[in-house]
Amino acid sequence: MSDDNRATKAKPAAVGPPRRRMSRTQRAREDRRQRRRHRHRRVVGGLGIVLVTLTVITGVFLGSKLWHSRGPLLDYTGEGGQQVLIEVHEGDFTTAIAETMYGAGVIANVAKFLDVAQHNSAIAAIQPGFYRLRAQIPSAAAVQQLTDPANRVGKLVIPEGRQLDDTTDMKTNAVTPGVFTLIAEASCLELNGDRHCLNVQDLRRAAAAETPQALSVPEWALGPVTKMGHDHRRIEGLITAGTWNVDPTAPAPVVLSKVIGQSTAELAKSGLPATAEQLGMTPYELLTVASLVQREALPHDFAKVARVIDNRLNEPQRLEFDSTVNYPLDRQEVATTDADRAKVTPWNTYASAGLPATPICSPGTEALRAAEHPEPGDWLYFVTIDQDGTTLFTHNYQQHLNNIEMALDNGVLDSSR
């Protein structure tokens, strides 16, 4: 550094006499001054922290108030908007149903709906299925609409003994709707003024054209179903009797797949595959036997008819059931004609030995149980002899002929046929 720079450099200002030159009294006075100065700094610093904390708390409080003032609505008001479709799934509790409705825009607040719903006992009885509701409605209106049976759509009820196609009674001309017709009717949906239904032709076409896998045909039925080619009746019996849910917005193949899949799951729950194995049969054969039992007898005779089938198959002896002759006919009667019995079809057990190629209807639980547990006996023949449904069983063919005479006398059978 140059001498000029050293000459111009500022010297530190004196701040008081050095501590070593202070008297004892002066040093004590200086220590007290320093302690007061430190205390002042701590108080000011603490007040600053308190003020910052208060500012943050105030901000959070005001922000919370602002968020809640602009947050979710507690409830809608008014009549609502467009109609929407929601699905209640198996096992859904009220909270899950509320969340589904919230997601569909039906209600504004799940908690509000639950509060209203707890005072309505009908909520606990809500079944899985599809429901038509209005969007943006008050929670009380949502509870009312959800519990109104008129708003459930897509409910499919298949009675025991129905076959895929409609049938007509030859004597009365009464038409019994088949499974396809029942599905078409269940699929009808009117939403916001527009009405849509599947039609029987679409269902029949899907049953014939889609692959068995696409239709959710169970593995134990793939062989027989494939063997039937593109005959729509190849899925007969795989849609069992019961109550099912049809998505009214789904196309025919999806609807059939869903119902067949649900039926298969129920058959598995009932133990059909395991029982069939114990009996030395396939599940498909056992299902076919159950369909014959369903069409040939009244429930109190199901187990006896199942035994007749078992005994005849073991003889071996043709089953010769009129129900198998009637199956492919549009017009049916209890007593078939000689000409009908002579026709060779995949189902006619007069013309061919063994079971028909497919089940001949949708059997119910009782018929399935009877097929699985036939009543012990040596019967080979049976005939219904009166209008009350009295059925006589025998092992003796001559006795069977005598029983047929009683049926003829009582008008149950027509001697001209």
Side-chain angles (χ1 to χ4, degrees):
M1 181 180 293
S2 68
D3 292 338
D4 293 338
N5 286 338
R6 281 197 296 267
T8 58
K9 185 178 179 182
K11 295 181 180 180
V15 294
R19 184 176 177 85
R20 64 177 176 273
R21 296 180 184 177
M22 292 179 183
S23 66
R24 183 178 299 175
T25 303
Q26 288 175 323
R27 285 199 297 270
R29 190 178 298 118
E30 180 65 19
D31 288 342
R32 286 196 297 273
R33 251 195 322 267
Q34 292 292 339
R35 284 197 295 270
R36 283 197 298 272
R37 193 176 296 118
H38 287 310
R39 281 199 300 272
H40 178 74
R41 286 200 201 100
R42 285 198 299 268
V43 169
V44 171
L47 286 173
I49 293 172
V50 170
L51 288 173
V52 170
T53 304
L54 286 174
T55 302
V56 171
I57 291 173
T58 303
V60 170
F61 176 75
L62 291 175
S64 175
K65 292 283 287 182
L66 182 63
W67 185 89
H68 282 292
S69 68
R70 297 182 181 179
L73 292 172
L74 282 179
D75 211 357
Y76 287 122
T77 59
E79 299 298 319
Q82 293 280 82
Q83 291 176 318
V84 297
L85 198 65
I86 70 160
E87 181 178 8
V88 175
H89 298 90
E90 187 74 38
D92 276 359
F93 292 106
T94 307
T95 301
I97 297 172
E99 289 171 347
T100 297
M101 290 193 292
Y102 177 76
V106 175
I107 58 174
N109 188 282
V110 169
K112 177 65 175 177
F113 175 85
L114 294 176
D115 182 56
V116 174
Q118 69 177 335
H119 304 295
N120 190 314
S121 59
I123 284 289
I126 294 297
Q127 298 295 309
F130 296 88
Y131 294 82
R132 178 182 50 208
L133 307 171
R134 288 217 173 264
Q136 299 183 346
I137 54 176
S139 293
V143 170
Q144 186 275 324
Q145 289 187 24
L146 185 64
T147 55
D148 183 351
N151 287 325
R152 182 177 177 183
V153 296
K155 183 179 179 180
L156 170 64
V157 179
I158 300 178
E160 294 89 346
R162 296 295 174 93
Q163 61 185 69
L164 292 172
D165 297 316
D166 297 351
T167 57
T168 303
D169 186 286
M170 189 172 288
K171 287 184 177 179
T172 65
N173 287 322
V175 177
T176 300
V179 172
F180 287 147
T181 295
L182 295 175
I183 292 176
E185 292 173 350
S187 74
C188 288
L189 174 66
E190 186 168 330
L191 202 66
N192 299 310
D194 294 328
R195 182 175 174 81
H196 167 77
C197 303
L198 291 176
N199 61 62
V200 171
Q201 290 74 23
D202 287 341
L203 290 163
R204 189 178 288 123
R205 191 159 38 245
E210 297 293 326
T211 66
Q213 291 82 359
L215 294 173
S216 295
V217 170
E219 186 176 351
W220 46 260
L222 285 176
V225 168
T226 302
K227 190 176 180 179
M228 288 295 296
H230 292 290
D231 191 315
H232 69 273
R233 289 166 291 196
R234 60 185 180 154
I235 64 167
E236 187 72 81
L238 296 178
I239 301 174
T240 59
T243 300
W244 313 109
N245 294 306
V246 170
D247 183 350
T249 66
V254 173
V255 169
L256 290 179
S257 175
K258 184 81 175 203
V259 180
I260 292 174
Q262 291 174 333
S263 297
T264 301
E266 288 301 313
L267 290 173
K269 285 182 186 177
S270 74
L272 176 75
T275 303
E277 185 177 0
Q278 293 171 3
L279 295 173
M281 305 173 73
T282 68
Y284 193 78
E285 290 170 337
L286 191 54
L287 185 66
T288 303
V289 170
S291 75
L292 297 176
V293 168
Q294 185 75 62
R295 293 300 294 270
E296 283 286 334
L298 295 176
H300 61 269
D301 286 324
F302 278 174
K304 286 186 175 181
V305 171
R307 177 55 64 189
V308 171
I309 295 172
D310 190 52
N311 289 342
R312 286 200 180 189
L313 292 175
N314 288 330
E315 276 290 317
Q317 180 178 341
R318 290 185 180 180
L319 294 178
E320 297 185 343
F321 284 176
D322 287 317
S323 59
T324 65
V325 176
N326 270 319
Y327 172 72
L329 303 178
D330 292 332
R331 300 178 65 82
Q332 301 182 355
E333 191 175 4
V334 174
T336 57
T337 66
D338 290 338
D340 288 335
R341 289 191 292 271
K343 292 178 183 176
V344 178
T345 73
W347 302 276
N348 186 355
T349 55
Y350 278 92
S352 304
L355 294 169
T358 73
I360 61 171
C361 71
S362 296
T365 302
E366 289 185 81
L368 282 164
R369 190 179 299 116
E372 295 169 346
H373 306 285
E375 186 171 326
D378 63 354
W379 313 293
L380 287 172
Y381 311 98
F382 65 93
V383 62
T384 300
I385 63 168
D386 58 32
Q387 301 297 336
D388 295 329
T390 304
T391 301
L392 300 180
F393 294 79
T394 183
H395 177 77
N396 184 278
Y397 183 64
Q398 185 56 53
Q399 182 59 53
H400 179 57
L401 293 178
N402 295 338
N403 294 339
I404 289 176
E405 287 298 322
M406 281 191 278
L408 291 169
D409 292 341
N410 293 330
V412 176
L413 297 179
D414 185 351
S415 59
S416 65
R417 303 179 70 82

mmCIF file of all heavy atoms in Angstrom, residues 323-362:
data_model
loop_
_atom_site.group_PDB
_atom_site.id
_atom_site.type_symbol
_atom_site.label_atom_id
_atom_site.label_comp_id
_atom_site.label_asym_id
_atom_site.label_seq_id
_atom_site.Cartn_x
_atom_site.Cartn_y
_atom_site.Cartn_z
ATOM 1 N N SER A 323 -91.021 -83.625 -23.958
ATOM 2 C CA SER A 323 -90.463 -82.271 -23.825
ATOM 3 C C SER A 323 -89.307 -82.044 -24.780
ATOM 4 O O SER A 323 -89.100 -80.918 -25.263
ATOM 5 C CB SER A 323 -89.996 -82.046 -22.382
ATOM 6 O OG SER A 323 -89.017 -83.010 -22.014
ATOM 7 N N THR A 324 -88.545 -83.096 -25.092
ATOM 8 C CA THR A 324 -87.416 -82.950 -26.021
ATOM 9 C C THR A 324 -87.888 -82.878 -27.463
ATOM 10 O O THR A 324 -87.194 -82.317 -28.320
ATOM 11 C CB THR A 324 -86.418 -84.106 -25.865
ATOM 12 O OG1 THR A 324 -87.043 -85.340 -26.241
ATOM 13 C CG2 THR A 324 -85.919 -84.211 -24.436
ATOM 14 N N VAL A 325 -89.046 -83.437 -27.732
ATOM 15 C CA VAL A 325 -89.647 -83.327 -29.070
ATOM 16 C C VAL A 325 -90.207 -81.924 -29.249
ATOM 17 O O VAL A 325 -90.051 -81.287 -30.301
ATOM 18 C CB VAL A 325 -90.764 -84.381 -29.254
ATOM 19 C CG1 VAL A 325 -91.449 -84.209 -30.615
ATOM 20 C CG2 VAL A 325 -90.209 -85.788 -29.096
ATOM 21 N N ASN A 326 -90.860 -81.430 -28.210
ATOM 22 C CA ASN A 326 -91.484 -80.111 -28.262
ATOM 23 C C ASN A 326 -90.471 -78.975 -28.363
ATOM 24 O O ASN A 326 -90.765 -77.917 -28.926
ATOM 25 C CB ASN A 326 -92.328 -79.886 -27.003
ATOM 26 C CG ASN A 326 -93.769 -80.347 -27.182
ATOM 27 O OD1 ASN A 326 -94.358 -80.130 -28.235
ATOM 28 N ND2 ASN A 326 -94.316 -80.982 -26.161
ATOM 29 N N TYR A 327 -89.293 -79.178 -27.825
ATOM 30 C CA TYR A 327 -88.351 -78.072 -27.644
ATOM 31 C C TYR A 327 -88.154 -77.198 -28.882
ATOM 32 O O TYR A 327 -88.277 -75.972 -28.789
ATOM 33 C CB TYR A 327 -87.003 -78.601 -27.137
ATOM 34 C CG TYR A 327 -85.947 -77.523 -27.119
ATOM 35 C CD1 TYR A 327 -85.979 -76.501 -26.190
ATOM 36 C CD2 TYR A 327 -84.924 -77.510 -28.081
ATOM 37 C CE1 TYR A 327 -85.024 -75.484 -26.196
ATOM 38 C CE2 TYR A 327 -83.964 -76.501 -28.090
ATOM 39 C CZ TYR A 327 -84.021 -75.498 -27.143
ATOM 40 O OH TYR A 327 -83.091 -74.495 -27.158
ATOM 41 N N PRO A 328 -87.846 -77.744 -30.064
ATOM 42 C CA PRO A 328 -87.603 -76.848 -31.204
ATOM 43 C C PRO A 328 -88.877 -76.382 -31.907
ATOM 44 O O PRO A 328 -88.797 -75.613 -32.879
ATOM 45 C CB PRO A 328 -86.757 -77.712 -32.147
ATOM 46 C CG PRO A 328 -87.186 -79.105 -31.857
ATOM 47 C CD PRO A 328 -87.565 -79.144 -30.404
ATOM 48 N N LEU A 329 -90.051 -76.809 -31.422
ATOM 49 C CA LEU A 329 -91.303 -76.457 -32.091
ATOM 50 C C LEU A 329 -91.827 -75.108 -31.606
ATOM 51 O O LEU A 329 -91.768 -74.789 -30.417
ATOM 52 C CB LEU A 329 -92.366 -77.532 -31.831
ATOM 53 C CG LEU A 329 -92.004 -78.971 -32.232
ATOM 54 C CD1 LEU A 329 -93.149 -79.919 -31.871
ATOM 55 C CD2 LEU A 329 -91.697 -79.040 -33.729
ATOM 56 N N ASP A 330 -92.361 -74.311 -32.542
ATOM 57 C CA ASP A 330 -92.953 -73.026 -32.164
ATOM 58 C C ASP A 330 -94.252 -73.230 -31.390
ATOM 59 O O ASP A 330 -94.552 -72.487 -30.471
ATOM 60 C CB ASP A 330 -93.233 -72.180 -33.411
ATOM 61 C CG ASP A 330 -91.951 -71.729 -34.086
ATOM 62 O OD1 ASP A 330 -90.932 -71.594 -33.378
ATOM 63 O OD2 ASP A 330 -91.965 -71.529 -35.310
ATOM 64 N N ARG A 331 -95.027 -74.234 -31.796
ATOM 65 C CA ARG A 331 -96.288 -74.535 -31.126
ATOM 66 C C ARG A 331 -96.147 -75.882 -30.417
ATOM 67 O O ARG A 331 -95.747 -76.870 -31.017
ATOM 68 C CB ARG A 331 -97.446 -74.573 -32.135
ATOM 69 C CG ARG A 331 -97.632 -73.243 -32.861
ATOM 70 C CD ARG A 331 -98.748 -73.318 -33.895
ATOM 71 N NE ARG A 331 -100.056 -73.554 -33.290
ATOM 72 C CZ ARG A 331 -100.807 -72.594 -32.760
ATOM 73 N NH1 ARG A 331 -100.374 -71.339 -32.746
ATOM 74 N NH2 ARG A 331 -101.988 -72.862 -32.248
ATOM 75 N N GLN A 332 -96.475 -75.894 -29.139
ATOM 76 C CA GLN A 332 -96.209 -77.074 -28.329
ATOM 77 C C GLN A 332 -97.469 -77.589 -27.643
ATOM 78 O O GLN A 332 -98.399 -76.845 -27.366
ATOM 79 C CB GLN A 332 -95.145 -76.745 -27.264
ATOM 80 C CG GLN A 332 -93.823 -76.279 -27.875
ATOM 81 C CD GLN A 332 -92.759 -76.011 -26.836
ATOM 82 O OE1 GLN A 332 -93.015 -76.080 -25.640
ATOM 83 N NE2 GLN A 332 -91.545 -75.710 -27.277
ATOM 84 N N GLU A 333 -97.438 -78.912 -27.372
ATOM 85 C CA GLU A 333 -98.538 -79.559 -26.658
ATOM 86 C C GLU A 333 -97.955 -80.698 -25.838
ATOM 87 O O GLU A 333 -96.912 -81.265 -26.185
ATOM 88 C CB GLU A 333 -99.592 -80.074 -27.643
ATOM 89 C CG GLU A 333 -100.874 -80.504 -26.951
ATOM 90 C CD GLU A 333 -101.960 -80.907 -27.952
ATOM 91 O OE1 GLU A 333 -101.676 -80.914 -29.158
ATOM 92 O OE2 GLU A 333 -103.077 -81.225 -27.494
ATOM 93 N N VAL A 334 -98.652 -81.039 -24.767
ATOM 94 C CA VAL A 334 -98.165 -82.105 -23.878
ATOM 95 C C VAL A 334 -97.961 -83.395 -24.655
ATOM 96 O O VAL A 334 -96.919 -84.052 -24.559
ATOM 97 C CB VAL A 334 -99.143 -82.324 -22.708
ATOM 98 C CG1 VAL A 334 -98.699 -83.521 -21.875
ATOM 99 C CG2 VAL A 334 -99.226 -81.077 -21.837
ATOM 100 N N ALA A 335 -98.974 -83.776 -25.440
ATOM 101 C CA ALA A 335 -98.885 -85.012 -26.224
ATOM 102 C C ALA A 335 -98.392 -84.679 -27.630
ATOM 103 O O ALA A 335 -99.017 -83.929 -28.362
ATOM 104 C CB ALA A 335 -100.250 -85.680 -26.297
ATOM 105 N N THR A 336 -97.248 -85.239 -28.009
ATOM 106 C CA THR A 336 -96.680 -84.979 -29.333
ATOM 107 C C THR A 336 -97.246 -85.952 -30.362
ATOM 108 O O THR A 336 -97.797 -86.999 -30.026
ATOM 109 C CB THR A 336 -95.158 -85.106 -29.285
ATOM 110 O OG1 THR A 336 -94.810 -86.411 -28.804
ATOM 111 C CG2 THR A 336 -94.560 -84.065 -28.352
ATOM 112 N N THR A 337 -97.078 -85.616 -31.639
ATOM 113 C CA THR A 337 -97.574 -86.477 -32.713
ATOM 114 C C THR A 337 -96.514 -87.502 -33.107
ATOM 115 O O THR A 337 -95.318 -87.328 -32.826
ATOM 116 C CB THR A 337 -97.931 -85.629 -33.942
ATOM 117 O OG1 THR A 337 -96.727 -85.051 -34.463
ATOM 118 C CG2 THR A 337 -98.918 -84.531 -33.585
ATOM 119 N N ASP A 338 -96.965 -88.557 -33.786
ATOM 120 C CA ASP A 338 -96.033 -89.565 -34.294
ATOM 121 C C ASP A 338 -95.024 -88.929 -35.248
ATOM 122 O O ASP A 338 -93.833 -89.279 -35.237
ATOM 123 C CB ASP A 338 -96.798 -90.678 -35.023
ATOM 124 C CG ASP A 338 -97.600 -91.540 -34.058
ATOM 125 O OD1 ASP A 338 -97.248 -91.559 -32.857
ATOM 126 O OD2 ASP A 338 -98.570 -92.187 -34.510
ATOM 127 N N ALA A 339 -95.507 -87.996 -36.063
ATOM 128 C CA ALA A 339 -94.629 -87.342 -37.030
ATOM 129 C C ALA A 339 -93.557 -86.517 -36.322
ATOM 130 O O ALA A 339 -92.377 -86.547 -36.712
ATOM 131 C CB ALA A 339 -95.452 -86.450 -37.960
ATOM 132 N N ASP A 340 -93.943 -85.809 -35.275
ATOM 133 C CA ASP A 340 -92.960 -85.010 -34.520
ATOM 134 C C ASP A 340 -91.933 -85.912 -33.833
ATOM 135 O O ASP A 340 -90.739 -85.611 -33.817
ATOM 136 C CB ASP A 340 -93.663 -84.151 -33.466
ATOM 137 C CG ASP A 340 -94.430 -82.988 -34.084
ATOM 138 O OD1 ASP A 340 -94.066 -82.562 -35.194
ATOM 139 O OD2 ASP A 340 -95.398 -82.508 -33.446
ATOM 140 N N ARG A 341 -92.410 -87.028 -33.299
ATOM 141 C CA ARG A 341 -91.501 -87.934 -32.587
ATOM 142 C C ARG A 341 -90.524 -88.622 -33.532
ATOM 143 O O ARG A 341 -89.464 -89.086 -33.106
ATOM 144 C CB ARG A 341 -92.301 -88.982 -31.797
ATOM 145 C CG ARG A 341 -93.028 -88.406 -30.588
ATOM 146 C CD ARG A 341 -93.585 -89.504 -29.699
ATOM 147 N NE ARG A 341 -94.658 -90.246 -30.331
ATOM 148 C CZ ARG A 341 -95.954 -89.929 -30.274
ATOM 149 N NH1 ARG A 341 -96.331 -88.826 -29.594
ATOM 150 N NH2 ARG A 341 -96.870 -90.652 -30.875
ATOM 151 N N ALA A 342 -90.875 -88.680 -34.816
ATOM 152 C CA ALA A 342 -90.004 -89.338 -35.783
ATOM 153 C C ALA A 342 -88.916 -88.414 -36.338
ATOM 154 O O ALA A 342 -87.946 -88.888 -36.928
ATOM 155 C CB ALA A 342 -90.846 -89.883 -36.938
ATOM 156 N N LYS A 343 -89.078 -87.107 -36.117
ATOM 157 C CA LYS A 343 -88.092 -86.162 -36.646
ATOM 158 C C LYS A 343 -86.789 -86.252 -35.861
ATOM 159 O O LYS A 343 -86.785 -86.201 -34.636
ATOM 160 C CB LYS A 343 -88.624 -84.733 -36.565
ATOM 161 C CG LYS A 343 -89.789 -84.448 -37.493
ATOM 162 C CD LYS A 343 -90.282 -83.023 -37.294
ATOM 163 C CE LYS A 343 -91.504 -82.743 -38.170
ATOM 164 N NZ LYS A 343 -92.050 -81.385 -37.917
ATOM 165 N N VAL A 344 -85.690 -86.365 -36.599
ATOM 166 C CA VAL A 344 -84.388 -86.409 -35.952
ATOM 167 C C VAL A 344 -83.890 -84.974 -35.760
ATOM 168 O O VAL A 344 -83.665 -84.246 -36.722
ATOM 169 C CB VAL A 344 -83.372 -87.215 -36.773
ATOM 170 C CG1 VAL A 344 -82.005 -87.189 -36.099
ATOM 171 C CG2 VAL A 344 -83.852 -88.649 -36.963
ATOM 172 N N THR A 345 -83.765 -84.574 -34.520
ATOM 173 C CA THR A 345 -83.227 -83.257 -34.185
ATOM 174 C C THR A 345 -82.143 -83.463 -33.121
ATOM 175 O O THR A 345 -82.035 -84.550 -32.544
ATOM 176 C CB THR A 345 -84.318 -82.316 -33.617
ATOM 177 O OG1 THR A 345 -84.649 -82.742 -32.280
ATOM 178 C CG2 THR A 345 -85.571 -82.327 -34.489
ATOM 179 N N PRO A 346 -81.349 -82.436 -32.842
ATOM 180 C CA PRO A 346 -80.340 -82.590 -31.788
ATOM 181 C C PRO A 346 -80.939 -82.835 -30.407
ATOM 182 O O PRO A 346 -80.200 -83.167 -29.473
ATOM 183 C CB PRO A 346 -79.582 -81.254 -31.824
ATOM 184 C CG PRO A 346 -79.807 -80.723 -33.205
ATOM 185 C CD PRO A 346 -81.196 -81.156 -33.558
ATOM 186 N N TRP A 347 -82.281 -82.679 -30.287
ATOM 187 C CA TRP A 347 -82.898 -82.772 -28.958
ATOM 188 C C TRP A 347 -83.842 -83.971 -28.811
ATOM 189 O O TRP A 347 -84.106 -84.393 -27.681
ATOM 190 C CB TRP A 347 -83.671 -81.482 -28.669
ATOM 191 C CG TRP A 347 -82.783 -80.280 -28.747
ATOM 192 C CD1 TRP A 347 -81.980 -79.776 -27.761
ATOM 193 C CD2 TRP A 347 -82.571 -79.449 -29.873
ATOM 194 N NE1 TRP A 347 -81.279 -78.691 -28.199
ATOM 195 C CE2 TRP A 347 -81.623 -78.454 -29.508
ATOM 196 C CE3 TRP A 347 -83.081 -79.421 -31.182
ATOM 197 C CZ2 TRP A 347 -81.183 -77.469 -30.374
ATOM 198 C CZ3 TRP A 347 -82.633 -78.440 -32.047
ATOM 199 C CH2 TRP A 347 -81.703 -77.466 -31.650
ATOM 200 N N ASN A 348 -84.345 -84.507 -29.893
ATOM 201 C CA ASN A 348 -85.386 -85.540 -29.839
ATOM 202 C C ASN A 348 -84.858 -86.844 -29.234
ATOM 203 O O ASN A 348 -84.109 -87.584 -29.874
ATOM 204 C CB ASN A 348 -85.940 -85.786 -31.242
ATOM 205 C CG ASN A 348 -87.124 -86.741 -31.239
ATOM 206 O OD1 ASN A 348 -87.495 -87.296 -30.204
ATOM 207 N ND2 ASN A 348 -87.729 -86.925 -32.411
ATOM 208 N N THR A 349 -85.280 -87.141 -28.012
ATOM 209 C CA THR A 349 -84.806 -88.357 -27.327
ATOM 210 C C THR A 349 -85.628 -89.593 -27.699
ATOM 211 O O THR A 349 -85.351 -90.676 -27.193
ATOM 212 C CB THR A 349 -84.828 -88.166 -25.803
ATOM 213 O OG1 THR A 349 -86.144 -87.781 -25.380
ATOM 214 C CG2 THR A 349 -83.814 -87.108 -25.374
ATOM 215 N N TYR A 350 -86.639 -89.431 -28.572
ATOM 216 C CA TYR A 350 -87.279 -90.596 -29.182
ATOM 217 C C TYR A 350 -86.410 -91.095 -30.324
ATOM 218 O O TYR A 350 -86.273 -92.301 -30.530
ATOM 219 C CB TYR A 350 -88.662 -90.231 -29.732
ATOM 220 C CG TYR A 350 -89.770 -90.212 -28.703
ATOM 221 C CD1 TYR A 350 -90.097 -89.043 -28.046
ATOM 222 C CD2 TYR A 350 -90.502 -91.368 -28.407
ATOM 223 C CE1 TYR A 350 -91.108 -89.001 -27.111
ATOM 224 C CE2 TYR A 350 -91.529 -91.345 -27.481
ATOM 225 C CZ TYR A 350 -91.832 -90.171 -26.828
ATOM 226 O OH TYR A 350 -92.835 -90.149 -25.890
ATOM 227 N N ALA A 351 -85.830 -90.158 -31.076
ATOM 228 C CA ALA A 351 -85.067 -90.515 -32.272
ATOM 229 C C ALA A 351 -83.614 -90.863 -31.962
ATOM 230 O O ALA A 351 -82.968 -91.553 -32.755
ATOM 231 C CB ALA A 351 -85.121 -89.367 -33.275
ATOM 232 N N SER A 352 -83.085 -90.384 -30.832
ATOM 233 C CA SER A 352 -81.672 -90.615 -30.514
ATOM 234 C C SER A 352 -81.515 -91.018 -29.057
ATOM 235 O O SER A 352 -82.307 -90.616 -28.186
ATOM 236 C CB SER A 352 -80.842 -89.347 -30.775
ATOM 237 O OG SER A 352 -81.005 -88.909 -32.116
ATOM 238 N N ALA A 353 -80.491 -91.816 -28.795
ATOM 239 C CA ALA A 353 -80.213 -92.261 -27.429
ATOM 240 C C ALA A 353 -79.468 -91.170 -26.661
ATOM 241 O O ALA A 353 -78.864 -90.267 -27.247
ATOM 242 C CB ALA A 353 -79.380 -93.536 -27.462
ATOM 243 N N GLY A 354 -79.524 -91.278 -25.350
ATOM 244 C CA GLY A 354 -78.781 -90.356 -24.500
ATOM 245 C C GLY A 354 -79.497 -89.039 -24.266
ATOM 246 O O GLY A 354 -80.689 -88.885 -24.571
ATOM 247 N N LEU A 355 -78.765 -88.112 -23.725
ATOM 248 C CA LEU A 355 -79.316 -86.794 -23.428
ATOM 249 C C LEU A 355 -79.425 -85.950 -24.695
ATOM 250 O O LEU A 355 -78.704 -86.182 -25.663
ATOM 251 C CB LEU A 355 -78.422 -86.077 -22.413
ATOM 252 C CG LEU A 355 -78.349 -86.676 -21.011
ATOM 253 C CD1 LEU A 355 -77.215 -86.013 -20.207
ATOM 254 C CD2 LEU A 355 -79.679 -86.519 -20.280
ATOM 255 N N PRO A 356 -80.310 -84.944 -24.687
ATOM 256 C CA PRO A 356 -80.358 -84.010 -25.824
ATOM 257 C C PRO A 356 -79.043 -83.236 -25.930
ATOM 258 O O PRO A 356 -78.249 -83.197 -24.984
ATOM 259 C CB PRO A 356 -81.539 -83.093 -25.483
ATOM 260 C CG PRO A 356 -81.738 -83.233 -24.012
ATOM 261 C CD PRO A 356 -81.317 -84.619 -23.661
ATOM 262 N N ALA A 357 -78.819 -82.617 -27.073
ATOM 263 C CA ALA A 357 -77.539 -81.946 -27.332
ATOM 264 C C ALA A 357 -77.310 -80.743 -26.422
ATOM 265 O O ALA A 357 -76.165 -80.385 -26.139
ATOM 266 C CB ALA A 357 -77.489 -81.494 -28.788
ATOM 267 N N THR A 358 -78.386 -80.108 -25.959
ATOM 268 C CA THR A 358 -78.283 -78.958 -25.053
ATOM 269 C C THR A 358 -79.378 -79.097 -24.000
ATOM 270 O O THR A 358 -80.312 -79.887 -24.160
ATOM 271 C CB THR A 358 -78.490 -77.619 -25.790
ATOM 272 O OG1 THR A 358 -79.894 -77.485 -26.119
ATOM 273 C CG2 THR A 358 -77.658 -77.535 -27.052
ATOM 274 N N PRO A 359 -79.306 -78.341 -22.933
ATOM 275 C CA PRO A 359 -80.483 -78.239 -22.065
ATOM 276 C C PRO A 359 -81.672 -77.747 -22.883
ATOM 277 O O PRO A 359 -81.504 -77.150 -23.944
ATOM 278 C CB PRO A 359 -80.056 -77.208 -21.015
ATOM 279 C CG PRO A 359 -78.557 -77.286 -21.000
ATOM 280 C CD PRO A 359 -78.161 -77.546 -22.434
ATOM 281 N N ILE A 360 -82.875 -77.965 -22.380
ATOM 282 C CA ILE A 360 -84.062 -77.560 -23.127
ATOM 283 C C ILE A 360 -84.801 -76.403 -22.457
ATOM 284 O O ILE A 360 -85.857 -75.994 -22.931
ATOM 285 C CB ILE A 360 -85.021 -78.749 -23.348
ATOM 286 C CG1 ILE A 360 -85.494 -79.317 -22.017
ATOM 287 C CG2 ILE A 360 -84.353 -79.826 -24.202
ATOM 288 C CD1 ILE A 360 -86.610 -80.347 -22.156
ATOM 289 N N CYS A 361 -84.241 -75.875 -21.373
ATOM 290 C CA CYS A 361 -84.832 -74.725 -20.695
ATOM 291 C C CYS A 361 -83.865 -74.217 -19.643
ATOM 292 O O CYS A 361 -82.761 -74.756 -19.476
ATOM 293 C CB CYS A 361 -86.182 -75.089 -20.049
ATOM 294 S SG CYS A 361 -86.022 -76.160 -18.595
ATOM 295 N N SER A 362 -84.299 -73.198 -18.941
ATOM 296 C CA SER A 362 -83.529 -72.666 -17.820
ATOM 297 C C SER A 362 -84.045 -73.295 -16.532
ATOM 298 O O SER A 362 -85.112 -72.925 -16.043
ATOM 299 C CB SER A 362 -83.683 -71.139 -17.737
ATOM 300 O OG SER A 362 -83.148 -70.519 -18.880
#
